[in-house]
Amino acid sequence: MPRINGNEIRPGFVLEHADSVWSVVKVEHVKPGKGGAFAQVELRNLRNGSKLNERFRSADKVERVRLEQRNQQFLYADSGSVVFMDTETFDQIELNTDMLGEQLPFLQEGMTAVIEYYGDEVLNVSLPQKVPCKIAETEPVVTGQTAANSYKPATLENGIRVMVPPFVNSGETIMVNTLTLEYSERV
């Protein structure tokens, strides 16, 4: 694994630090009036989700980790776990549903997700950024409200509530951003 200087750390990097694997969330370069410059780095543990703020000087060396990304197809969910199949080797893995967090309701049969590995350990599961969802229930359109930039609440078939434009009706399919949990477009 390549070693990098403390001033080369950027958001999105994955580092091995303090006997764990961390994702860099935010970096702020600080040049105090007295003393040397340093990078104030916010880290998120990829194993347990805890956060850590750490200072790295330019002379400090840290290990940059490259995670292996594999496309895997979702097969089925089973009492607190989900099963994925590698699209190349056809190997199946079973993961805890906690790994998906807020994205779990958007998981659909046959969907391809990107699973990140550190050696043989699964650290992250990423669903596609936009997922089609059907609206189960929403308020009817109010005439004259279409000109204003207003939104109304809607409940999707997976139970998630999102705000949608007034022209979207029950039974329609929309694209939802899985990262922000917001309406993206009508399908």
Side-chain angles (χ1 to χ4, degrees):
M1 288 181 285
R3 293 180 66 80
I4 60 172
N5 293 332
N7 61 346
E8 296 174 340
I9 298 172
R10 301 284 179 260
F13 280 13
V14 178
L15 308 175
E16 189 172 304
H17 175 69
D19 298 327
S20 197
V21 182
W22 303 84
S23 173
V24 177
V25 178
K26 190 165 58 172
V27 178
E28 183 179 343
H29 293 279
V30 179
K31 173 85 173 93
K34 191 174 187 180
F38 60 88
Q40 184 71 36
V41 181
E42 184 179 323
L43 303 166
R44 183 178 57 86
N45 192 316
L46 289 176
R47 290 188 174 121
N48 61 22
S50 64
K51 289 204 173 181
L52 172 71
N53 280 311
E54 195 73 56
R55 284 184 178 180
F56 293 101
R57 301 209 176 276
S58 62
D60 295 341
K61 297 277 190 186
V62 290
E63 295 281 338
R64 181 167 180 203
V65 177
R66 298 223 188 263
L67 298 178
E68 181 183 353
Q69 296 183 336
R70 296 185 203 158
N71 288 334
Q72 300 205 342
Q73 184 179 21
F74 171 66
L75 296 178
Y76 61 92
D78 185 35
S79 66
S81 65
V82 288
V83 177
F84 287 91
M85 177 184 67
D86 192 309
T87 54
E88 293 176 11
T89 64
F90 303 108
D91 293 337
Q92 293 184 11
I93 59 164
E94 188 172 333
L95 303 174
N96 194 324
T97 55
D98 296 340
M99 209 154 219
L100 290 162
E102 291 181 337
Q103 294 183 337
L104 181 63
F106 296 104
L107 196 58
Q108 299 171 358
E109 191 173 317
M111 178 182 280
T112 301
V114 176
I115 299 183
E116 295 180 320
Y117 287 85
Y118 177 62
D120 289 335
E121 180 184 9
V122 176
L123 292 180
N124 190 29
V125 178
S126 300
L127 297 183
Q129 188 172 352
K130 292 181 181 178
V131 175
C133 296
K134 194 166 188 175
I135 296 178
E137 181 183 333
T138 187
E139 300 169 3
V141 67
V142 177
T143 55
Q145 198 177 21
T146 55
N149 190 11
S150 61
Y151 284 83
K152 62 183 181 180
T155 305
L156 304 175
E157 284 187 341
N158 60 12
I160 300 293
R161 291 182 54 88
V162 295
M163 298 301 284
V164 296
F167 57 82
V168 176
N169 298 312
S170 296
E172 290 187 43
T173 302
I174 62 169
M175 295 298 272
V176 178
N177 187 321
T178 57
L179 301 174
T180 61
L181 305 180
E182 294 176 345
Y183 166 86
S184 179
E185 61 187 308
R186 186 164 52 172
V187 179

